[in-house]
C-alpha cells in the first residue's frame, strides 16, 4: 500500500506506515542525493520494496545512468528523468514526493544500513508468502498424492530458508522467542474410525505389529488411541497374549480408562479387521500432513512477529522443520519398496584329488 505522501495527499484515516516504509524512504533519498552509492548496494532488487511507488523509483534509479556529480548538485534535471521513468510504472507519483524522500533521509552515507533493513523485511515477506503456499498444500484434501506434494513444498520452503541464511548468517546464541501456541483442530470422524479399525486389526493379528514399527503413538489423533497402541506394542514385545481383554487390562494398568467406558473399548477392539500395514500407513500419512501444517503455522507465527530478526527467522524455521524431518524419514521407511531378495550363492566346490586313471592305464598296456 502506498503511503499518502507518494501521491501528494494526506489522509489521517490511513494507518501509520511500518518502520520499513521509513527505511525505504531513507534509502531512496540517499540514492537520489548521491546516485553513485547505488553501486555499493548488493542483494537488493525492485521486489525488495514493500511499496509499489518505492519499487518504481528504485527501478528508475537502476535504469538511468548516474549523473555528473557537479551537474547534479546544480540542477534537478536528473531528478526529472527519474520521475518520468518511474511514472511509466506507477501512477500517482509527483515531483514533491521525490523531494520528500531527500528531506527524510538522515544520512546518505548510511545507505547500506537502510538497504539491509529493506532486505530484511523482504526476507520476512518472502518467507511468509512461501509458508502460506505450503500451508495451502498441506490442507488440500483433493490432491491425488498429498504427501509427495507437501514434501516437495517443504523442500522449496527449506531452500528459501537456506537462501535467507546465506544473506543473513545466523548468530550464535540468537534464538527466536517462542511463538504463540498453535491450536489443534478436532480430528475428523473418518480419522477416528480408521484408527479404531487399525487397533482392532492389530489386536486380532499381533504378529503383524512388528512390520509397522515405524508407526508411533504420536501418529494417532486422540490420546486414547495412542495409549491403546502402546498397550498393543508392549504386550507383543513382551510376547504375552494379545486380545481385546488383555489390551483392556493393560490399558487399566496404564490409567487410560479415566472417563472411558471399558465396554466401548472392547466394542471397537472387536471390530472389522483388514490390514495392519494399510491402516498404519493411513495413520502415518495423516500424522505427516498434520505435522506439516503445524510446522507451517509455527513458521508463519515467526514471520508475523515484527520483532523477529532474519537470524531468528532462520533459526526458528529450522527448528520447526525438525519434527517434519523425523516423520518424513519414517514415511520413506514405511513406503519404500522392499529390496529384492538376492539369491544365496552356491557353496564353493572344493577341488578333488588329481586324476591318475590315464597314467595307470598306460602302465597296464605295457
Amino acid at each position: 500500500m502506498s503511503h499518502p505522501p507518494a501521491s501528494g495527499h494526506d489522509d489521517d484515516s490511513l494507518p501509520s506506515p511500518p518502520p520499513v516504509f521509513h527505511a525505504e524512504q531513507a534509502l531512496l533519498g540517499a540514492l537520489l542525493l548521491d546516485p553513485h552509492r547505488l553501486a555499493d548496494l548488493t542483494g537488493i532488487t525492485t521486489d525488495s520494496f514493500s511499496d509499489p511507488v518505492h519499487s518504481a523509483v528504485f527501478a528508475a534509479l537502476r535504469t538511468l545512468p548516474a549523473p555528473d556529480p557537479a551537474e547534479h548538485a546544480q540542477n534537478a534535471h536528473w531528478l526529472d528523468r527519474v520521475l518520468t521513468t518511474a511514472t511509466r510504472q506507477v501512477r500517482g507519483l509527483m515531483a514533491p514526493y521525490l523531494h520528500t524522500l531527500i528531506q527524510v533521509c538522515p544520512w546518505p552515507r548510511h545507505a547500506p544500513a537502510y538497504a539491509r533493513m529493506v532486505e530484511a523485511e523482504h526476507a520476512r515477506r518472502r518467507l511468509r508468502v512461501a509458508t502460506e503456499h505450503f500451508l495451502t498444500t498441506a490442507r488440500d484434501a483433493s490432491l491425488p498424492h498429498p504427501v509427495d506434494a507437501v514434501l516437495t513444498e517443504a523442500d522449496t520452503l527449506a531452500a528459501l530458508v537456506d537462501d535467507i541464511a546465506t544473506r543473513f548468517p545466523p548468530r550464535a546464541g540468537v534464538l527466536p522467542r517462542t511463538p504463540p501456541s498453535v491450536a489443534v483442530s478436532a480430528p475428523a470422524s473418518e480419522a477416528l474410525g480408521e484408527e479404531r479399525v487399525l487397533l482392532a486389526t492389530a489386536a486380532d493379528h499381533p504378529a503383524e505389529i512388528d512390520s509397522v514399527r515405524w508407526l508411533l503413538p504420536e501418529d494417532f489423533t486422540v490420546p486414547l488411541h495412542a495409549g491403546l497402541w502402546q498397550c498393543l506394542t508392549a504386550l507383543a514385545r513382551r510376547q504375552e497374549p494379545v486380545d481385546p481383554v488383555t489390551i483392556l487390562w493393560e490399558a487399566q494398568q496404564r490409567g487410560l480408562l479415566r472417563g472411558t467406558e471399558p465396554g466401548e473399548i472392547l466394542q471397537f477392539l472387536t471390530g472389522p479387521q483388514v490390514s495392519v500395514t494399510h491402516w498404519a500407513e493411513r495413520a502415518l500419512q495423516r500424522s505427516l500432513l498434520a505435522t506439516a501444517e503445524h510446522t507451517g503455522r509455527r513458521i508463519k507465527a515467526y514471520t508475523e512477529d515484527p520483532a523477529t530478526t532474519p537470524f531468528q527467522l532462520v533459526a526458528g524455521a529450522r527448528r520447526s522443520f525438525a519434527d517434519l524431518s523425523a516423520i518424513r524419514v519414517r514415511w520413506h521407511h514405511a513406503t519404500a519398496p522392499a529390496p529384492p531378495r538376492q539369491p544365496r550363492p552356491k557353496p564353493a566346490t572344493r577341488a578333488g584329488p588329481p586324476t591318475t586313471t590315464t597314467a595307470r592305464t598306460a602302465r597296464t598296456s605295457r
Side-chain angles (χ1 to χ4, degrees):
M1 179 183 70
S2 299
H3 194 242
S7 59
H9 299 285
D10 293 330
D11 188 351
D12 294 336
S13 63
L14 293 177
S16 177
V20 69
F21 183 90
H22 301 287
E24 293 176 4
Q25 284 188 320
L27 173 60
L28 294 175
L31 298 179
L32 290 171
L33 278 169
D34 296 331
H36 68 277
R37 297 186 182 276
L38 183 61
D40 300 331
L41 306 182
T42 59
I44 189 168
T45 66
T46 55
D47 294 334
S48 301
F49 293 84
S50 62
D51 187 281
V53 171
H54 294 170
S55 180
V57 173
F58 184 77
L61 290 170
R62 294 182 58 183
T63 302
L64 297 172
D68 178 75
E71 180 183 351
H72 183 54
Q74 297 297 324
N75 56 64
H77 296 331
W78 186 76
L79 293 180
D80 293 337
R81 291 196 293 272
V82 171
L83 178 63
T84 301
T85 305
T87 51
R88 294 172 186 167
Q89 300 184 28
V90 65
R91 295 181 180 181
L93 176 63
M94 294 184 292
Y97 189 60
L98 296 185
H99 295 283
T100 298
L101 295 176
I102 295 173
Q103 293 171 1
V104 299
C105 176
W107 293 101
R109 66 173 180 268
H110 293 169
Y114 304 146
R116 194 68 169 166
M117 300 173 193
V118 173
E119 189 181 357
E121 193 61 27
H122 181 223
R124 182 194 308 279
R125 292 197 307 273
R126 290 173 62 202
L127 187 57
R128 182 186 302 120
V129 171
T131 302
E132 290 173 349
H133 191 273
F134 174 70
L135 281 170
T136 300
T137 304
R139 295 165 177 165
D140 190 351
S142 65
L143 295 173
H145 303 288
V147 172
D148 293 341
V150 164
L151 294 182
T152 299
E153 288 299 327
D155 290 339
T156 302
L157 187 59
L160 175 57
V161 173
D162 291 341
D163 180 67
I164 296 175
T166 301
R167 299 174 182 270
F168 299 89
R171 294 173 178 172
V174 180
L175 296 177
R177 288 182 296 278
T178 302
S181 58
V182 178
V184 179
S185 56
S189 58
E190 179 185 8
L192 297 176
E194 289 183 359
E195 290 178 359
R196 292 188 171 190
V197 171
L198 168 60
L199 292 169
T201 305
D204 195 59
H205 304 281
E208 297 183 20
I209 295 177
D210 189 61
S211 64
V212 294
R213 286 180 294 177
W214 34 261
L215 187 68
L216 301 180
E218 56 261 33
D219 295 323
F220 290 82
T221 56
V222 293
L224 176 61
H225 294 174
L228 291 175
W229 182 253
Q230 287 180 309
C231 295
L232 273 162
T233 55
L235 290 171
R237 185 176 60 252
R238 299 197 303 259
Q239 297 183 348
E240 297 182 9
V242 178
D243 60 43
V245 174
T246 61
I247 297 170
L248 181 66
W249 184 259
E250 182 76 13
Q252 175 178 282
Q253 304 304 304
R254 294 172 177 260
L256 299 178
L257 302 185
R258 300 185 182 94
T260 304
E261 292 293 335
E264 178 185 354
I265 295 178
L266 287 175
Q267 182 178 5
F268 71 72
L269 284 179
T270 55
Q273 297 89 33
V274 187
S275 166
V276 170
T277 302
H278 171 76
W279 294 112
E281 285 187 10
R282 291 276 296 177
L284 184 61
Q285 172 179 310
R286 187 164 43 248
S287 178
L288 188 149
L289 296 177
T291 302
E293 181 176 359
H294 186 267
T295 298
R297 292 171 70 178
R298 282 181 61 87
I299 297 176
K300 185 179 179 183
Y302 285 126
T303 65
E304 292 175 342
D305 183 357
T308 305
T309 68
F311 315 103
Q312 294 172 321
L313 282 177
V314 169
R318 286 177 170 171
R319 291 170 64 183
S320 300
F321 271 123
D323 291 341
L324 182 58
S325 299
I327 195 172
R328 182 177 191 168
V329 172
R330 292 194 286 124
W331 172 258
H332 286 314
H333 181 70
T335 58
R341 298 185 61 181
Q342 298 294 334
R344 297 181 59 183
K346 295 181 179 180
T349 303
R350 296 182 59 185
T355 303
T356 58
T357 305
T358 303
R360 288 196 299 268
T361 303
R363 287 195 295 269
T364 304
S365 63
R366 291 179 184 177

